[in-house]
Amino acid sequence: MGFLEKVGGFAEKAGEKMSKAATGVADKSKLLAEKTKLKSQINSENSNINKAYAELGKKYFETNGHNPSEEYADVVAKINESMNRISNLQQQLAALEVETTCPKCGSTIKKDQQFCQSCGSKLESFVEVSPDDVEVVTEVEKAASDQS
């Protein structure tokens, strides 16, 4: 066997090994892509489950929130407390708004108006908010957040 034959045999074996390695890399890439696709589908289904849990909890609260079973009473109480806080915060926010709507005709009016410029209705809910009241609310909010 001559030198060129030995080099040719070596090159052939090297080519076979490289071909097998390339095939292995391609197979691993396909496997990785398939695993990634399956993991994505699992995450999507977990998200669907979590949305269904939230929907189930909301429906339970809507139907049984006024009289929850003992095991859910704490959670229902937390939801009610948060809803009350939101309502209070919305009222405080509304008090700070410069404009509101007329309860009779729905026109935009300024908070300090006693009569609607569109329909002429007397605005019985006219309430003057002083800057001192706003500062007190802010201080109470800060104190509550500091305690948390």
Side-chain angles (χ1 to χ4, degrees):
M1 193 184 241
F3 176 73
L4 290 176
E5 290 174 342
K6 286 182 182 179
V7 170
F10 177 75
E12 188 177 320
K13 287 180 184 177
E16 288 174 8
K17 287 184 179 181
M18 289 177 67
S19 176
K20 286 181 182 178
T23 301
V25 168
D27 290 344
K28 287 182 181 179
S29 293
K30 288 179 186 177
L31 179 64
L32 180 62
E34 186 65 24
K35 287 169 76 174
T36 301
K37 180 180 172 185
L38 292 172
K39 287 179 181 180
S40 176
Q41 290 173 344
I42 289 169
N43 287 338
S44 177
E45 291 303 322
N46 277 328
S47 178
N48 290 341
I49 289 170
N50 287 333
K51 287 176 186 175
Y53 280 151
E55 186 177 336
L56 177 66
K58 185 176 180 182
K59 285 185 180 186
Y60 177 87
F61 180 81
E62 289 170 352
T63 57
N64 300 307
H66 59 282
N67 189 22
S69 64
E70 205 173 298
E71 60 188 317
Y72 299 110
D74 290 342
V75 176
V76 169
K78 286 179 187 177
I79 292 170
N80 284 327
E81 287 172 14
S82 289
M83 291 175 97
N84 288 335
R85 281 191 211 112
I86 288 171
S87 177
N88 289 335
L89 293 170
Q90 287 173 333
Q91 289 174 359
Q92 291 173 18
L93 181 62
L96 297 175
E97 293 293 328
V98 176
E99 294 181 337
T100 188
T101 56
C102 173
K104 301 282 185 193
C105 70
S107 294
T108 301
I109 55 174
K110 293 189 178 181
K111 280 266 188 187
D112 59 353
Q113 287 182 226
Q114 294 185 13
F115 295 92
C116 176
Q117 74 272 8
S118 295
C119 69
S121 295
K122 181 173 171 81
L123 303 174
E124 296 175 16
S125 62
F126 171 75
V127 176
E128 219 173 299
V129 178
S130 71
D132 293 338
D133 293 337
V134 174
E135 290 173 4
V136 170
V137 169
T138 304
E139 290 172 12
V140 169
E141 289 291 321
K142 286 180 184 176
S145 67
D146 291 343
Q147 290 178 356
S148 298

